[in-house]
Amino acid sequence: MKIIGLNDQEVEAALRSAGLGLSVSEARSIAEVLGRDPTVPELFNYDTMWSEHCSYKSSRATLNEFLHTTGPNVVQGPEEDAGIVAIDDEWCVVIAHESHNHPSQILPNEGAATGIGGIVRDVNCMGAKVVATADPLRFGDPYGEDKNHVRWVAEGVVDGIWQYGNALGVPIIAGDVVFDDSFDTNCLVNVVAIGVVKRGEIIKSRAPAGAGEKGYDVIVIGKPTDSSGFGGVTFASEELREEDEEANRGAIQIPDPFLKNVLFKANEALFQLTRQEGITIGFKDLGGGGFTCASSEMGASAGYGMDLDLDKLHKASENLPPEVVACAETQERFMLICPPELTPRVLEIYNEDWDLPNVYEGARASVVGKVTTNGRYITRYRGKVTCDVSIEHLTKGIRYAREERPRKTSLSEPVITAPDDLTDALLKVLASPNVSSREHIYRYYDTEVQGNSVIRPGEADAGLIAPVRGEKFGIALSVDANPFYGRISPYWAGATAVAEAMRNVAAIGAYPATLTDCLNFGNPEKPEAFWEFRECVKGLADAAKALWLKGYEDTPVPIVSGNVSFYNESPDGTVDPSPIIACVGLIDDVRDAVTMNLKKAGDSIYLIGPRFDELGGSEYYRTVYGVTGKNVPEVRFELERNMIYAVIDSIARKLVVSTHDISNGGLGATAAEMALAGKGDLGMELALDSAGSDLSADRLVFSESSGFLLECKEEAEEELEKLLKGYGLDIMCLGKVAESPELVMTHKGKTVLRMDLETAKKAWTGGLAEAMR
Amino acid sequence: MKIAVVQFPGTNCEHETLVAARSAGLSGEIFRWNRPAEELSDFDGYIIPGGFSYQDRLRAGAIASKEPVMEALREEAELGKPIIGICNGFQILVESGLLPGLDGVNVALAQNVMVSKGEIVRRGFYCAWTTLRHESPPKRCSGSFLLEKGDLIRMPLAHAEGNLVTADERLMDRLNEENQVVFRYCSEQGEVDDEFPVNINGSLENIAGICNPEGNVLGMMPHPERSSFAFQLPPTDARKCVGDMGAAGPGRRVFESMKRYIEVRR
């Protein structure tokens, strides 16, 4: 394509008419480095590799500045497809976390399904068995102006997740769903996958040492390449405009969990073969950026070049232009780099043993080229060289220094007169789509497949699996982020998301071992959006640093994987800042974990965490009064750390039999959920005067300051109090588990809340189903 | 006693099913669909595990039921060897005519339709724990050989199409008269109520599992392999944390029954 000699307007016109997202200056810099006009396939390769999605060109500097990605338990930081931390001397947990926001807004079912499909490949390609997924979701207001569209998106996304995840055979053990009008035209669909692998059996997504010198084969495995998903990463790196919707549909990939299921089994046979033979391979999934991204990164990260023949790649049609073959994001594909002597056995595994060509039309494993030592990224098609560029220049990407400017808001605390009786207010909060039981959704998810599930959605604050038969250890998983806090303070949204994700795994007795962050924001070219992004990253990094890895003082909880999703914006506005955090917790023996349902009448209920006047962004303000407020919950780092570790220790010492953290809906919702999670036959009688605060009753009940409620085992009170004091925590025994199915709260000699659990259950179980109807 | 866990493209419960069978004292292996079908005759019994064979194309189980390995299994069934189909395995056995085994295909496992108080309250995929009441006399059926009539066992289910229907008005009478109804969905206390959530998928007469007239072939929608270890139970079940990681859950009785059935036949 001609660039040299043309003026800026002419270059701009040429780029746009070709469908490229590159800027004029980017295109000129490429021509300059090449010393000639680039070919069209070359420009598409650069467009892909230099997109925000692949290159993190706006975010990289901020991430490097703030995030702690190393730690004593880190086996693999964020530079590969998935991060890895050690469980014990033998086993490791692998985690990856991504967004699939734009595709899910346009085609909810396919978008969400390919989100799951992509993230499980990231974990599997490290040599791991994928053992669980989680899905944090954000939808628009189900009762607002766009309600019909919002519900269509929500239903389609949930369908896409279960149809893919259930068929693949990976249990969905965690997730969250928040409805907020800032997501009316930009839903967020994040996906988390975890796997297990032995430390000595991890496979890297790069060409192995010696691959260039010995001319290792490059093999593409899976579905035949078609044009689906062409332009996907570029589409993910622009704002969504309604008029582009038709064109954008083509950028969405097509899911196939059936083929993936067979591919995973064939991959396991490949992994077994390489372990037996002691051969090191490189293995990577083909995801965003397709063939170009996988092949160039696998070569460049090992300092090698690539010589690839697109004619040898199996395709759905022979009429595809070279740039489509190279950059399409056809799903269910992997790339393997192996010594040539292994190749015949690899082809046998995929093409004969697992019979890919008969399982799916056109699917197979094909040798497409060689690793080289010349540092060039060369592709050939129909006998011609279609790309010949420096592999390092192609993959190292570019960096932009973006401007930041605080977003101006005019939020204030409301003046409210609380009713004397808070029962109705709590019922409203329990019925809110953001607080009510998630059962309507999780019954669609196969939470039991693989037979490893110990704690499922709805039973506790985090899911728990025992992923290796014969071993006692468990992996807990939770996800969190509150967009309403993000609207008020992006910094505290980042910090509270980390704290709550950690509290969630602590609440079952697991210690937080690692975090991942999927950072969902608006257009980074706008200084306010970029400011929100930086504030969130600062907040979450500060919290990870201050809350410490258990057993190590002053050592941050490492963040080993993550993703940045910008451009979650349309002409109608931007999404509330959403730094979605996933936390992996570990527990030595899954049978020591506790759930949140009340266990026994007469047990004492303790509050951990003093209540503060922090109702900004709370469910109470929004649901009962229709206001946002300003006093967002803050994370008091030392207090938070002591709370989290006191809870983990009290569970390990078997002093508490149920726990639930305090978050959306405050102490009131937490107490109600503990009563409703079981059979609903046990209630609670709580005296708010013991909460050690002079706040009014409604603030005590609904403040979302962080904390926990604990149910103490009979006659363990003294020991629990001693443990809590040892952590410098106030002793706040609020009352007892009651035999009657009723939640009662008193304050200053008056009953301020009396709610029968039958009524509460109706409100709590109906809210989400009603919102998604 | 060696069993084959038959694997089709799209099967996804073969590993935990084999683990559960082994915990009951059976030995065995996973048998890939494109192995020579005649090798199946080396085994003493067969399990067709859950999953989405051939992506549920056409109907759940329809394509797998036409595979050569199913023709081989039909011959083994005629020899009286036990076959247990779980979830998608049940669907495959129905599509192949092995169940209910009354000349041709005369029942179907249709889409779940949950009905309460005359209203449809939900449709489609559903994953939850349920309780099964054992309906047939002891020793009637391979997979429930050790169970007494009226025994209750808890296990989870997870499917979109498990709603047993038939167009044959006399079929239910025949199944009941011949004791071919092996399991029904019931409450934790054992009451059979045809309303959701007890009748969890809308099945005729709450049917969760049936056998063929000879009793050696059993199909059931719920998953005994997901309830073969105590740690798998829900937190409200007092048995959950008793014993070690190998401690038995209620579902193991199905595999123990299969083992006993093979022993007795010898």
Side-chain angles (χ1 to χ4, degrees), chain A residues 265 443 450-451 456 591, chain B residues 11 14 16 127 232 240 243:
Chain A
K265 289 170 193 178
R443 292 285 174 223
Q450 299 190 3
R456 299 112 177 131
R591 288 160 303 159
Chain B
T11 297
E14 60 271 49
E16 56 266 38
C127 175
Q232 297 169 321
K240 184 174 177 75

Side-chain angles (χ1 to χ4, degrees), chain A residues 594-665:
Chain A
V594 302
T595 51
M596 70 179 172
N597 58 301
L598 295 176
K599 303 294 187 297
K600 194 163 160 278
D603 283 353
S604 300
I605 299 290
Y606 284 82
L607 167 67
I608 311 282
R611 303 294 84 204
F612 296 95
D613 187 2
E614 293 179 328
L615 289 100
S618 70
E619 208 56 48
Y620 176 60
Y621 271 8
R622 287 182 305 101
T623 305
V624 180
Y625 300 100
V627 295
T628 299
K630 188 163 186 292
N631 296 346
V632 73
E634 296 182 1
V635 184
R636 293 159 185 85
F637 294 127
E638 199 185 337
L639 170 66
E640 188 77 36
R641 188 171 66 231
N642 285 325
M643 291 196 293
I644 287 171
Y645 290 119
V647 167
I648 296 171
D649 286 354
S650 63
I651 294 171
R653 287 172 52 186
K654 304 191 191 306
L655 305 177
V656 301
V657 291
S658 68
T659 52
H660 189 14
D661 93 307
I662 299 176
S663 59
N664 296 22

Side-chain angles (χ1 to χ4, degrees), chain B residues 2 22 31 36 39 45 82 91 97 126 134 152 162 164 178 199 210 230 233 237 245 259 263:
Chain B
K2 202 167 130 199
R22 284 179 176 157
F31 192 99
E39 288 176 17
Q91 293 163 338
Y126 202 73
H134 183 234
L152 304 181
L164 188 135
E178 298 300 319
N199 186 347
I210 57 174
L233 285 161
D237 195 307
M245 288 297 283
K259 177 168 177 266
E263 285 167 354

Side-chain angles (χ1 to χ4, degrees), chain B residues 44-46 73-85 93 98-100 139-145 182 210-219 258 261-262 265:
Chain B
D44 302 310
Y46 311 89
L73 280 193
R74 183 188 309 279
E75 288 166 20
E76 301 301 330
E78 280 165 13
L79 298 175
K81 289 187 190 177
I83 302 178
I84 299 178
L93 289 172
L98 278 165
L99 286 177
K139 302 189 174 62
R140 167 73 179 94
C141 162
S142 59
S144 67
F145 200 73
V182 182
I210 57 174
C211 66
N212 62 348
E214 294 75 21
N216 61 322
V217 181
L218 165 69
M258 185 182 198
Y261 183 84
I262 295 170
R265 264 192 77 241

